[in-house]
């Protein structure tokens, strides 16, 4: 666009930080790039981030030249790469499990089974999340968000993964919902929306849509030291597998809806909200 598509952070005289929103632009110009692998993808992201551009998750159906992008994309189209949008995951995760051990009763001399709760605390990193998602051996690009390290220490980044074959956006969305329920670190970050009827997610479920903008440009910092130091804002992490096959077992829409409804009811009960009856209207 005519301005860099990024946020700015300014340190004020009282020590507080003033944050700007992403610019609300109307006219945009598209740039088409062809990449064959993650290395080329990383180089392309780095180039356009430096120019203040952002990434469109899908493809435009026609080139855009200083115009609105309305009706220029198909949000349900297939895609050849996956974007995991992590926005606000806490840096530590504590889990409690029950361990059964055998112990001799000193009074009776009988060996008995004893259950004991064990608490484990881990430092949450991108690799820890990738392993929890079943992506331990898959190569990826990490792009640290503009807000990473500013005003908090939660994990904020985009993770880009090349897919072995194109997958439709709605199918990826069901996979993201499923993982939000299955992975304990992500499930811990479930919260109710203001209405108390829906969930907020630790892993964004809309970043798969082929009309989604992914902001990649570095932030403008005024009076603030770069919290990343010398760490590149965009970098390639090479692992054993260059791509990921997402066509395995993915929950159906009904399965995920049942999991989500149950979780909403669980959180409402935890927060002391009245039980509600779930109804559906089929259109």
């Amino acid at each position: 666009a005519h301005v860099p598509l990024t946020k700015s952070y300014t340190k004020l005289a009282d020590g507080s930080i003033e944050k700007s929103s992403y610019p609300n632009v109307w006219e945009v110009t598209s740039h088409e790039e062809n990449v064959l692998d993650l290395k080329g993808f990383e180089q392309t992201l780095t180039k356009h981030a430096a120019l203040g551009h952002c990434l469109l998750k899908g493809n435009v159906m026609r080139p855009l030249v200083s115009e609105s992008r309305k009706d220029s994309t198909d949000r349900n189209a297939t895609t050849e790469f996956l974007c995991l949008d992590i926005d606000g995951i806490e840096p530590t995760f504590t889990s409690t499990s029950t361990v059964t051990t055998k112990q001799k009763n000193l009074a009776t001399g009988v060996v008995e089974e004893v259950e004991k709760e064990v608490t484990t605390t881990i430092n949450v990193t991108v690799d820890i999340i990738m392993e929890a998602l079943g992506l331990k051996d898959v190569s990826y690009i990490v792009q640290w968000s503009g807000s990473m390290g500013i005003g908090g220490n939660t994990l904020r980044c985009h993770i880009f993964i090349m897919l072995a074959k194109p997958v439709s956006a709605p199918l990826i969305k069901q996979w993201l919902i499923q993982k939000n329920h299955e992975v304990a670190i992500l499930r811990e970050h479930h919260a109710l929306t203001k209405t108390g009827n829906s969930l907020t997610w630790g892993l964004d479920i809309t970043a798969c849509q082929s009309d989604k903008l992914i902001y990649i440009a570095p932030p403008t910092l005024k009076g603030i030291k770069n919290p990343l130091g010398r760490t590149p804002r965009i970098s390639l992490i090479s692992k054993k597998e260059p791509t990921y096959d997402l066509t395995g077992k993915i929950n159906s829409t009904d399965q995920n809806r049942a999991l989500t409804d149950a979780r909403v009811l669980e959180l409402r009960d935890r927060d002391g909200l009245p039980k509600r009856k779930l109804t559906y209207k089929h259109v």
Side-chain angles (χ1 to χ4, degrees):
H2 64 283
V3 293
L5 296 170
T6 187
K7 290 182 178 179
S8 65
Y9 297 86
T10 305
K11 190 171 184 178
L12 304 178
D14 61 0
S16 62
I17 296 176
E18 183 180 68
K19 176 182 72 173
S20 74
S21 301
Y22 288 110
N24 188 18
V25 298
W26 177 258
E27 295 180 342
V28 294
T29 296
S30 61
H31 303 265
E32 183 176 294
E33 299 277 6
N34 294 310
V35 297
L36 300 178
D37 52 27
L38 271 181
K39 184 61 180 176
F41 197 178
E42 178 210 19
Q43 293 171 345
T44 300
L45 287 173
T46 301
K47 178 182 76 173
H48 285 279
L51 295 172
H53 299 169
C54 71
L55 172 68
L56 178 64
K57 181 62 187 70
N59 292 317
V60 288
M61 293 183 283
R62 56 181 175 79
L64 303 179
V65 181
S66 297
E67 59 185 296
S68 167
R69 66 186 188 94
K70 181 182 179 182
D71 299 328
S72 67
T73 54
D74 175 7
R75 67 184 303 178
N76 297 322
T78 58
T79 179
E80 295 178 10
F81 74 95
L82 185 64
C83 176
L84 305 179
D85 185 358
I86 298 172
D87 190 14
I89 298 292
E90 295 295 330
T92 58
F93 174 72
T94 301
S95 63
T96 302
S97 58
T98 302
V99 177
T100 302
T101 59
K102 291 185 177 182
Q103 183 175 317
K104 187 175 183 180
N105 189 316
L106 297 179
T108 63
V110 178
V111 177
E112 302 173 341
E113 289 189 346
V114 178
E115 290 187 348
K116 182 174 65 173
E117 285 193 346
V118 177
T119 300
T120 305
T121 300
I122 61 173
N123 294 322
V124 179
T125 63
V126 171
D127 277 338
I128 289 292
I129 293 177
M130 291 288 284
E131 183 175 355
L133 289 169
L135 304 172
K136 179 181 178 180
D137 296 325
V138 180
S139 300
Y140 63 89
I141 297 169
V142 60
Q143 177 249 316
W144 298 106
S145 299
S147 58
M148 180 65 186
I150 299 177
N153 58 352
T154 56
L155 200 63
R156 300 177 183 275
C157 64
H158 295 127
I159 300 170
F160 300 103
I161 300 167
M162 298 290 282
L163 296 174
K165 58 185 71 173
V167 181
S168 69
L171 191 62
I172 295 175
K173 185 175 183 178
Q174 295 308 315
W175 181 81
L176 291 170
I177 294 173
Q178 179 180 343
K179 290 302 180 182
N180 269 286
H181 287 295
E182 290 179 349
V183 176
I185 296 173
L186 301 177
R187 184 178 173 83
E188 183 71 16
H189 284 78
H190 284 171
L192 293 173
T193 58
K194 290 181 180 180
T195 64
N197 295 320
S198 302
L199 291 179
T200 60
W201 310 92
L203 180 61
D204 189 354
I205 65 170
T206 65
C208 60
Q209 294 173 190
S210 294
D211 60 350
K212 190 80 171 180
L213 294 182
I214 308 295
Y215 293 96
I216 59 174
T220 300
L221 303 178
K222 301 175 183 178
I224 301 174
K225 187 177 179 180
N226 182 4
L228 296 183
R230 295 185 178 182
T231 301
R233 198 161 286 274
I234 299 174
S235 56
L236 170 62
I237 310 299
S238 297
K239 297 293 182 73
K240 180 181 177 181
E241 301 294 337
T243 61
Y244 178 63
D245 188 350
L246 195 65
T247 58
K249 185 178 179 181
I250 299 177
N251 284 354
S252 68
T253 303
D254 288 340
Q255 286 175 314
N256 279 335
R257 184 163 57 190
L259 289 173
T260 301
D261 289 343
R263 184 62 169 153
V264 168
L265 294 177
E266 180 184 338
L267 293 180
R268 285 178 65 88
D269 183 62
R270 183 199 67 183
D271 294 347
L273 297 173
K275 291 187 179 298
R276 66 186 183 96
K277 183 180 180 181
L278 300 175
T279 59
Y280 298 100
K281 179 181 179 182
H282 292 275
V283 181

